[in-house]
């Protein structure tokens, strides 16, 4: 990108991104746009953001549009990110669902799963619980979704370089749940990989995922407007089974919707139960 982004181009791009995937760019984020789109601009021999927008609009639902959205929505992630949600899952939620009369199945949705660290972390925690309490929760299915095709391809492979493995994963869990691959990376073991199904999903569009006992929608709602956030949380509520739980990111809250969710204090940490 050779030219500086004009205020008009930035406003037009903000509108495009919000309409396409709901993400609301803040003010003065031109540096972020330039850094994330530089390679795309060079590959398509474009010099201004306005030219890129025109190309995307002319081509409709093209691969270029998908690549731009991918570049703006892909974020780095960690194993067991923020820790508290996984402690709550381990100490409260899995025992609670495991002790429910006749409960042998559990359905979990990891929304905006990026390259797979969150749903695979959930699968590891669940496998550890089942080893500690044989016979409980024999049928666990984790559905993981993201808007980005490229991160879902990484997640489905379940193979990570050492630098990614080291971001939040203990040596004990690495040894227990991964095997070394030929190229120096690490491959997640089949029993963990088979628990997770990855699907492409835009949180602004209709959900055709079925019903869930737990939904993890963490560190993504902060990118949406208040109106879109309320709409997403209302639709997530419809996917939850009676007594199901919603887990948000550490910096996120419901800010309303008391008729849909009940706050549950977990000391530390807060989760929300479907009313």
């Amino acid at each position: 990108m050779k030219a500086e982004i004009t205020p008009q181009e930035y406003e037009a791009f903000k509108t495009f991104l919000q309409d396409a995937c709901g993400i609301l760019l803040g003010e003065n984020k031109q540096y972020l746009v330039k850094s994330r789109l530089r390679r795309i601009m060079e590959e398509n021999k474009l010099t201004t953001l306005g030219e890129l927008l025109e190309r995307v609009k002319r081509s409709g639902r093209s691969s270029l549009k998908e690549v731009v959205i991918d570049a703006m929505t892909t974020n780095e992630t960690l194993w067991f990110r923020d820790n508290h949600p996984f402690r709550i899952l381990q100490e409260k939620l899995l025992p609670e669902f495991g002790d429910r009369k006749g409960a042998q199945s559990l359905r979990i949705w990891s929304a905006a799963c990026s390259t797979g660290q969150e749903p695979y972390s959930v699968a590891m925690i669940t496998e550890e619980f089942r080893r500690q309490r044989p016979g409980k929760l024999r049928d666990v299915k984790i559905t993981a979704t993201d808007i980005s095709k490229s991160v879902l391809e990484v997640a489905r492979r379940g193979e990570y370089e050492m630098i990614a493995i080291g971001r939040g994963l203990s040596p004990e869990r690495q040894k227990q749940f991964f095997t070394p691959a030929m190229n120096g990376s690490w491959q997640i073991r089949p029993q963990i990989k088979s628990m997770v199904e990855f699907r492409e999903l835009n949180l602004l569009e209709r959900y055709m995922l079925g019903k869930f006992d737990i939904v993890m929608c963490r560190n993504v709602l902060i990118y949406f407007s208040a109106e879109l956030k309320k709409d997403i949380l209302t639709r997530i509520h419809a996917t939850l089974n009676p007594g199901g739980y919603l887990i948000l990111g550490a910096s996120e809250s419901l800010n309303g919707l008391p008729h849909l969710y009940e706050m549950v204090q977990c000391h530390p940490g807060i989760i929300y139960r479907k009313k």
Side-chain angles (χ1 to χ4, degrees), residues 47-93:
T47 58
T48 69
L49 186 61
E51 291 174 4
L52 176 63
L53 280 173
E54 283 300 315
R55 179 80 62 85
V56 169
K57 289 175 183 176
R58 284 202 309 269
S59 54
R61 293 182 67 87
S62 67
S63 59
L64 179 59
K65 180 179 179 180
E66 292 176 355
V67 169
V68 170
I69 293 172
D70 259 12
M72 294 305 302
T73 57
T74 301
N75 294 292
E76 287 190 73
T77 187
L78 311 172
W79 304 96
F80 301 92
R81 182 177 180 180
D82 300 328
N83 191 43
H84 290 324
F86 299 97
R87 180 191 56 78
I88 293 168
L89 185 67
Q90 185 177 40
E91 297 178 5
K92 173 180 171 56
L93 298 186

Side-chain angles (χ1 to χ4, degrees), residues 8-44:
Q8 294 79 11
E9 286 176 332
Y10 186 62
E11 287 302 314
F13 186 75
K14 283 173 60 179
T15 300
F16 156 75
L17 194 64
Q18 186 170 13
D19 289 345
C21 60
I23 288 181
L24 184 61
L25 276 177
E27 300 302 320
N28 303 315
K29 297 287 186 181
Q30 288 90 337
Y31 70 93
L32 178 67
V33 175
K34 288 187 71 171
S35 64
R36 293 203 169 191
L37 299 183
R38 181 174 288 110
R39 181 183 58 81
I40 297 170
M41 300 281 288
E42 291 173 354
E43 289 176 352
N44 288 274

Side-chain angles (χ1 to χ4, degrees), residues 74-237:
T74 301
N75 294 292
E76 287 190 73
T77 187
L78 311 172
W79 304 96
F80 301 92
R81 182 177 180 180
D82 300 328
N83 191 43
H84 290 324
F86 299 97
R87 180 191 56 78
I88 293 168
L89 185 67
Q90 185 177 40
E91 297 178 5
K92 173 180 171 56
L93 298 186
L94 293 179
E96 178 180 323
F97 283 105
D99 288 339
R100 288 187 182 182
K101 186 176 181 180
Q104 286 298 318
S105 65
L106 185 68
R107 297 292 180 269
I108 301 172
W109 175 17
S110 169
C113 67
S114 190
T115 46
Q117 280 87 335
E118 177 176 275
Y120 285 139
S121 295
V122 171
M124 292 179 216
I125 287 280
T126 304
E127 181 63 18
E128 289 170 350
F129 172 81
R130 294 196 297 192
R131 292 176 184 178
Q132 293 165 1
R133 300 183 64 178
K136 298 288 186 179
L137 300 178
R138 292 174 181 166
D139 178 24
V140 177
K141 294 286 192 303
I142 302 163
T143 299
T145 65
D146 203 279
I147 193 174
S148 169
K149 284 185 169 68
S150 61
V151 300
L152 288 172
E153 289 173 4
V154 174
R156 289 189 181 103
R157 285 198 299 271
E159 187 176 316
Y160 300 90
E161 295 179 358
M162 192 60 216
I163 191 170
I165 288 288
R167 292 171 61 84
L169 189 70
S170 69
E172 293 77 17
R173 282 182 169 139
Q174 178 184 343
K175 182 178 180 180
Q176 188 174 10
F177 296 117
F178 289 80
T179 56
M182 294 290 290
N183 57 3
S185 59
W186 290 78
Q187 176 71 54
I188 200 154
R189 290 185 183 272
Q191 76 266 30
I192 299 300
K193 192 175 183 181
S194 64
M195 292 169 65
V196 186
E197 177 194 18
F198 292 96
R199 297 176 63 175
E200 185 181 349
L201 179 76
N202 185 334
L203 286 172
L204 301 185
E205 297 175 355
R206 189 179 179 189
Y207 307 164
M208 301 287 288
L209 302 172
K211 292 285 189 175
F212 298 95
D213 302 298
I214 301 168
V215 175
M216 302 181 78
C217 185
R218 304 192 307 132
N219 307 305
V220 63
L221 293 178
I222 54 175
Y223 299 110
F224 294 102
S225 67
E227 183 180 350
L228 286 177
K229 175 181 172 182
K230 183 177 179 181
D231 179 59
I232 291 168
L233 289 169
T234 300
R235 284 191 281 164
I236 286 176
H237 179 271

